[in-house]
């Protein structure tokens, strides 16, 4: 750890606010100890409750006021603390922001990931954009990078945000559907607003179904500006790349997980951090010199456009690690208040009309959500940098400003606090001129080229998923006119895309279509093609289910578990009953969970171990058969050894399997007849390799119903 570690300082701030609830005595809010909190004070055991029971009244009153308004968007989220460290000082040429340029400084961070449309209690695995908001507690003040896991947004001008959000949120007359874009109002909006199309392509893609928050890219979306010590500006786009790569769930899995574990992504983040497997991202920047502003075929100020990495490569800047879960969800994750206008010297805005609106909206929303102007004093929001000014009073003032002077200029306070003359935030100097008009720039008008770029850049599998997603969503739309409108828009993006979606919906394919291949594809956009994103050399934190029953091969499971956990995976033994399982050849092993309590969709891969007696039980167990069939259908790696191979046929798996101790791999099914201590290393290696690749995309599963 570097000598200069502000993480400790942030930790002290948070410690000061902590209350230990697992020691000490129960008291009222006034610190008066109480010896009972289960019976209210009453006139006789069957009489009325007395008003003078201040403890009961206080307890109920506080309870009645527990709720604050949830965020109007991004209501559901999960957060964690960590730190950011730049790799070197090479950005000093471009920015005066020291947290980006001083390699020996660890800047503490708090990150909140979120879905957008759903309420606070909605499921994690919905089709949605994910928020990726980072608060850097820098020595120069708080900097918030309030981004998403898509690089583009649905609209170009912030004045349209309420319209867009009203369209995607549950419909106002019956508040249906929760956290889902598959309904008429959203698609009505999309069919009429082609500026949405690029972000809609991302929304229909696998990016909207992250396997884990730890496996998502993050983007600042807007073009921001870096400003160096001389006041020279450079346009910048921010990128977060996850060390574990970008990986997604299947849509069918998402729907099932919403029931089996609505907290899937939240739990995954929490568990990984508790297990010491700290998620890590690389911060990268795309830099564009000011004099190159107009060198692109799109406008840098248009948030529905990305800068293709083939035009401007992403330059790595530093890394962020999340290494601590919050102590209290409400106090920290719920009360954290991000704001795009929280900038520090060296980072500034551009005239992106979406960003300009955000700079108004975030402060405004915190005032209602957190009940007044002092929310920056809440521990999770407090800067590490000194805060000293003449602002005063308001709800929730927790500080005690001293002295009689709360204004400038003053002599009574010796003119203090003094105006700073170094390390100050100076707004970037830009000449601005123009007529007062309500009009969007003509340079914002092309709504089709970049959706086409995205579509062209997908692999076949990714493209199929996009077509299926459009078909799913539009199938839920009741109005034929809206569906036709969307197909007509898709036709402007790519003719084949429109035809494929229309055919699935039984609609007439559109006639003449947009020319295919408007632009060259960009492999950086495909999570299966980009080398940076398609990380396939690790199984760290993957969850692997082992299906067992009494009579199972205990030694075989132990050997396998040891080998897989050594590689960083989590192995769980599932059985028809909880508790101890007796081995067929002696020994015993504990089942972690009942098969009935969990579901195949919650795991990345499955192994069926040897044990003839166990197989007798499992072959008649619908949960076990369904579990394996579903994993197969979802293209997950499946391993089976010894008698365990028998269960595969029961599950309808037609892959070639081993008939001797040699390891056979077919369509991601890895088998060997060996067991116990003879389980070959090759089996574990082949299985781990398949898990590292996540899915077996070329496996044909059309006939498997699970
Ligand atoms: Fe937000 N957005 N937003 N947004 N946004 C909010 O702020 C808003 C936009 C984003 O974990 C709200 O504190 C407007 C783009 C994230 O707490 C609100 C516009 C991007 C989060 C708000 C946008 C985002 C928010 C709701 C269009 C990606 C969650 C509660 C001009 C770059 C932060 C709150 C967290 C939250 C307004 C567009 C990301 C209402 C007006 C583009 C990650 O202020």
């Amino acid at each position: 750890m570097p000598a200069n570690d502000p993480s400790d300082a942030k930790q002290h701030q948070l410690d000061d606010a902590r209350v230990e609830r697992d020691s000490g005595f129960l008291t009222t809010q006034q610190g008066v100890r109480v010896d009972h909190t289960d019976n209210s004070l009453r006139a006789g055991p069957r009489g009325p409750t007395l008003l003078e029971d201040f403890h009961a009244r206080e307890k109920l009153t506080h309870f009645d006021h527990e709720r604050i308004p949830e965020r109007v968007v991004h209501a559901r989220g999960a957060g964690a603390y960590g730190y950011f460290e730049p790799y070197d000082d090479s950005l000093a040429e471009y920015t005066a922001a020291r947290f980006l340029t001083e390699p020996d400084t660890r800047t503490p961070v708090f990150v909140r990931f979120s879905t957008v449309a759903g309420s606070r209690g909605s499921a994690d695995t919905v089709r949605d954009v994910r928020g990726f908001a980072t608060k850097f507690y820098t020595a120069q003040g708080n900097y918030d990078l309030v981004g998403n896991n898509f690089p583009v947004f649905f609209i170009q001008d912030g004045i349209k945000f309420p319209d867009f959000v009203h369209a995607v949120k549950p419909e106002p007359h019956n508040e249906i559907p929760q956290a889902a874009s598959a309904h008429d109002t959203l698609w009505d909006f999309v069919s009429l607003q082609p500026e949405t199309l690029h972000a809609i392509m991302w929304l229909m893609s696998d990016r909207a179904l992250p396997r884990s928050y730890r496996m998502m890219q993050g983007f600042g979306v807007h073009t921001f500006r870096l400003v160096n010590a001389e006041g020279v500006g450079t346009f910048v786009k921010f990128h977060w790349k996850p060390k574990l790569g970008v990986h997604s769930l299947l849509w069918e899995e998402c729907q099932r997980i919403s029931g089996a574990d609505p907290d899937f992504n939240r739990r995954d983040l929490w568990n990984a951090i508790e297990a010491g497997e700290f998620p890590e991202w690389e911060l990268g920047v795309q830099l564009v010199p000011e004099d190159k502003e107009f060198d692109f075929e799109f406008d840098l100020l248009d948030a529905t456009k990305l800068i293709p990495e083939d035009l401007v490569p992403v330059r790595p800047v530093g890394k962020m690690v999340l290494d601590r879960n919050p102590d209290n969800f409400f106090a920290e994750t719920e009360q954290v208040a991000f704001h795009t206008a929280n900038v520090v010297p060296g980072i500034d805005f551009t005239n992106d009309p979406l960003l300009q609106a955000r700079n108004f909206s975030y402060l405004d929303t915190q005032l209602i959500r957190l009940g007044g102007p002092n929310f920056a004093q809440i521990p999770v929001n407090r800067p590490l940098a000194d805060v000293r000014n003449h602002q005063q009073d308001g709800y929730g003032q927790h500080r005690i400003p001293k002295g009689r002077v709360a204004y400038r200029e003053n002599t009574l306070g010796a003119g203090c606090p003094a105006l700073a003359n170094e390390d100050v935030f100076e707004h970037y100097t830009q000449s601005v001129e123009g007529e007062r008009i309500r009009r969007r720039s003509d340079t914002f008008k092309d709504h089709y080229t970049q959706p086409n770029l995205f579509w062209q850049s997908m692999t076949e599998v990714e493209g199929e998923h996009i077509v299926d997603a459009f078909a799913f969503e539009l199938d839920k739309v009741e109005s034929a006119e809206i569906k036709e409108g969307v197909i007509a828009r898709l036709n402007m993006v790519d003719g084949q895309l429109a035809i494929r979606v229309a055919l699935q919906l039984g609609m007439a394919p559109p006639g003449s279509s947009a020319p295919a291949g408007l632009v060259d594809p960009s492999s950086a956009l495909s999570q299966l093609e980009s080398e940076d994103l398609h990380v396939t050399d690790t199984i760290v934190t993957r969850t692997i289910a082992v299906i067992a029953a009494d009579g199972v091969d205990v030694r075989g499971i132990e050997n396998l578990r040891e080998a897989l956990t050594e590689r960083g995976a989590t192995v769980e033994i599932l059985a028809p009953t909880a508790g101890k399982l007796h081995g067929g050849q002696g020994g015993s092993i504990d089942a972690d969970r009942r098969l009935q309590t969990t579901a195949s969709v919650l795991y990345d891969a499955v192994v069926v171990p040897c044990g003839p007696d166990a197989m007798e039980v499992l072959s008649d167990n619908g949960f076990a058969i369904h579990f394996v069939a579903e994993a197969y259908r979802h293209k997950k790696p499946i391993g089976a050894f010894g008698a365990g191979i028998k269960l595969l046929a029961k599950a309808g798996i037609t892959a070639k399997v081993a008939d001797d101790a040699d390891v056979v791999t077919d369509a991601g099914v890895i088998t060997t007849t060996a067991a116990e201590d003879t389980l070959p290393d090759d089996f574990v290696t082949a299985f781990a390799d398949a898990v590292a690749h996540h899915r077996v995309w070329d496996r044909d599963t059309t006939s498997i119903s699970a």
Side-chain angles (χ1 to χ4, degrees):
M1 185 168 301
N4 175 1
D5 187 9
S7 302
D8 286 347
K10 186 66 207 169
Q11 196 52 56
H12 284 142
Q13 251 185 14
L14 295 166
D15 286 348
D16 278 352
R18 277 211 187 116
V19 185
E20 296 298 343
R21 283 202 285 208
D22 51 11
S23 61
F25 296 106
L26 191 71
T27 74
T28 66
Q29 291 281 52
Q30 306 304 322
V32 176
R33 287 185 188 180
V34 287
D35 67 350
H36 214 300
T37 192
D38 299 330
N39 288 309
S40 44
L41 191 69
R42 67 198 80 174
R46 301 182 65 248
T49 302
L50 300 177
L51 197 58
E52 71 192 63
D53 186 352
F54 57 84
H55 173 48
R57 276 195 293 122
E58 182 198 76
K59 188 174 170 184
L60 284 174
T61 308
H62 198 280
F63 172 75
D64 294 343
H65 293 256
E66 271 176 16
R67 289 291 167 269
I68 63 170
E70 67 173 33
R71 288 165 174 82
V72 59
V73 282
H74 296 266
R76 177 158 181 93
Y81 292 96
Y83 63 87
F84 172 78
E85 237 172 40
Y87 294 141
D88 53 39
D89 62 0
S90 62
L91 269 197
E93 189 185 330
Y94 303 101
T95 178
R98 292 204 301 273
F99 79 100
L100 289 173
T101 58
E102 288 182 351
D104 57 351
T105 300
R106 266 191 181 183
T107 299
V109 298
F110 184 82
V111 175
R112 183 173 178 272
F113 302 107
S114 47
T115 54
V116 179
S119 287
R120 204 181 131 181
S122 57
D124 279 348
T125 57
V126 293
R127 179 177 293 284
D128 202 351
V129 192
R130 298 303 187 282
F132 189 142
T134 308
K135 188 178 283 297
F136 298 82
Y137 305 94
T138 92
Q140 293 168 292
N142 283 356
Y143 170 59
D144 293 352
L145 181 54
V146 196
N148 276 347
N149 75 329
F150 298 179
V152 288
F153 201 64
F154 298 87
I155 47 167
Q156 297 173 319
D157 186 325
I159 194 172
K160 291 223 54 70
F161 192 63
D163 298 307
F164 167 67
V165 173
H166 292 169
V168 71
K169 281 268 190 183
E171 299 190 7
H173 61 309
N174 56 11
E175 223 195 21
I176 296 174
Q178 178 57 244
S181 47
H183 57 113
D184 283 57
T185 56
L186 186 258
W187 290 99
D188 192 18
F189 186 82
V190 170
S191 71
L192 300 170
Q193 302 282 332
E195 71 197 75
T196 55
L197 284 173
H198 192 190
I200 285 289
M201 291 297 292
W202 284 76
L203 186 67
M204 294 302 108
S205 80
D206 295 345
R207 300 298 187 112
L209 319 172
R211 157 67 181 83
S212 159
Y213 289 139
R214 303 173 294 122
M215 301 172 194
M216 296 190 321
Q217 248 178 312
F219 302 90
V221 177
H222 312 279
T223 303
F224 294 91
R225 203 186 304 264
L226 294 181
V227 184
N228 70 12
E230 285 75 48
V232 177
T234 305
F235 293 114
V236 62
K237 291 259 194 200
F238 291 108
H239 294 245
W240 292 113
K241 279 193 185 148
K243 200 176 155 201
L244 293 173
V246 174
H247 305 289
S248 295
L249 298 166
L250 298 177
W251 177 229
E252 187 176 283
E253 269 181 294
C254 288
Q255 294 172 77
R256 294 178 187 185
I257 294 173
S258 290
D261 185 6
D263 305 302
F264 186 74
N265 290 139
R266 178 185 279 191
R267 189 188 307 282
D268 165 274
L269 178 68
W270 179 275
N271 285 351
I273 293 175
E274 288 302 295
E277 291 293 352
F278 302 138
E280 192 175 320
W281 286 261
E282 178 164 87
L283 180 69
V285 291
Q286 284 178 300
L287 298 176
V288 178
E290 299 244 312
D291 60 3
K292 303 266 189 269
E293 179 173 4
F294 301 107
D295 280 12
F296 303 92
E297 285 176 3
F298 50 87
D299 197 320
L300 288 182
L301 303 186
D302 174 358
T304 67
K305 307 295 184 299
L306 51 81
I307 309 180
E309 291 186 30
D310 317 71
L311 298 184
V312 181
V314 176
R315 172 176 170 157
V317 171
K319 70 166 186 180
M320 176 170 76
V321 177
L322 298 183
D323 60 3
R324 193 172 76 72
N325 280 316
D327 288 303
N328 183 274
F329 183 88
F330 180 85
E332 296 164 284
T333 309
E334 193 59 17
Q335 293 200 108
V336 66
F338 295 97
H339 184 11
T340 47
N342 288 350
V343 287
V344 292
I347 302 179
D348 211 324
F349 317 115
T350 58
N351 293 337
D352 171 346
L354 199 68
L355 176 59
Q356 299 272 321
R358 293 181 76 195
N359 284 344
F360 162 76
S361 201
Y362 287 72
L363 175 57
D364 185 40
T365 209
Q366 311 308 353
L367 291 174
I368 179 86
R369 200 169 69 78
L370 299 169
N374 289 314
F375 60 84
Q377 297 177 19
I378 295 172
V380 69
N381 295 325
R382 276 182 66 187
L384 277 179
D386 281 348
V387 175
R388 204 171 286 120
N389 56 46
H390 291 130
Q391 294 165 31
Q392 68 171 17
D393 305 349
Y395 284 114
Q397 169 61 277
H398 281 70
R399 306 187 71 184
I400 306 177
K402 290 191 355 182
R404 59 195 282 211
V405 173
Y407 57 88
R408 252 189 70 87
E409 307 269 328
N410 68 66
T411 53
L412 292 174
C416 289
L419 296 182
N421 54 11
E422 58 175 13
D423 213 11
V424 293
F425 187 90
E426 281 183 67
H427 287 272
Y428 175 75
T429 312
Q430 188 188 14
S431 59
V432 177
E433 129 182 50
E435 288 169 0
R436 192 158 54 183
I437 45 166
R438 266 187 203 281
R439 204 179 69 211
R440 233 174 268 184
S441 167
D442 287 347
T443 52
F444 279 42
K445 277 194 172 146
D446 171 12
H447 303 312
Y448 301 103
T449 308
Q450 289 217 344
N452 179 276
L453 166 71
F454 185 69
W455 169 248
Q456 300 281 343
S457 305
M458 295 295 101
T459 58
E460 204 180 309
V461 171
E462 290 168 305
E464 254 169 46
H465 291 170
I466 290 176
V467 171
D468 289 349
F470 272 113
F472 178 96
E473 300 267 315
L474 294 177
D475 199 21
K476 297 257 184 182
V477 168
E478 287 162 16
S479 156
E481 194 186 336
I482 293 175
K483 287 193 232 198
E484 278 158 20
V486 175
I487 298 289
R489 291 290 178 199
L490 294 185
N491 200 35
M492 305 280 285
V493 174
D494 182 277
Q496 278 307 308
L497 169 63
I499 291 170
R500 287 169 66 182
V501 176
L503 287 178
Q504 285 213 34
L505 293 168
M507 292 168 61
S512 62
S513 33
L518 288 176
V519 282
D520 290 336
S522 166
S523 63
L525 298 176
S526 159
Q527 67 185 68
L528 293 182
E529 206 143 84
S530 153
E531 277 177 22
D532 284 353
L533 308 183
H534 193 48
V535 174
T536 56
D537 60 359
T538 171
I539 64 166
V540 164
T541 69
R542 296 305 158 71
T543 53
I544 297 165
V546 174
I547 312 271
D550 265 333
V552 79
D553 171 5
V554 167
R555 291 289 307 139
I557 296 181
E558 279 169 348
N559 291 337
L560 178 81
R561 182 162 62 181
E562 194 183 319
L564 292 173
T565 42
E566 242 172 44
R567 288 167 164 85
T570 302
V571 176
E572 283 190 5
I573 299 170
L574 313 179
T577 50
K580 228 170 246 328
L581 303 174
H582 301 286
Q585 305 294 318
S588 67
I589 198 160
D590 286 330
D592 294 298
R593 232 171 280 281
R594 293 168 70 231
L595 269 166
Q596 293 88 319
T597 315
T598 183
S600 181
V601 287
L602 304 178
Y603 297 85
D604 293 298
V606 52
V607 179
V608 192
C610 187
D613 291 346
M615 280 317 116
E616 286 289 307
V617 177
L618 293 172
S619 299
D620 280 339
N621 183 306
F623 286 103
I625 296 167
H626 177 80
F627 197 102
V628 177
E630 195 175 38
Y632 187 77
R633 179 172 161 78
H634 293 153
K635 302 180 191 283
K636 293 174 180 173
I638 294 183
F641 57 91
I645 293 174
K646 279 193 190 153
L647 197 64
L648 303 187
K650 275 277 192 180
I653 295 174
T654 51
K656 185 169 171 290
V657 293
D659 53 14
D660 59 22
D662 286 350
V663 175
V664 171
T665 301
D666 184 30
V669 179
I670 298 104
T671 47
T672 169
T673 58
E676 301 213 320
D677 287 335
T678 64
L679 191 65
D681 287 347
D682 286 3
F683 174 81
V684 181
T685 311
F687 180 71
D689 186 53
V691 176
H693 281 80
H694 287 258
R695 307 275 172 168
V696 189
W697 292 120
D698 53 6
R699 178 192 289 164
D700 180 9
T701 55
T702 33
S703 64
I704 299 275
S705 67

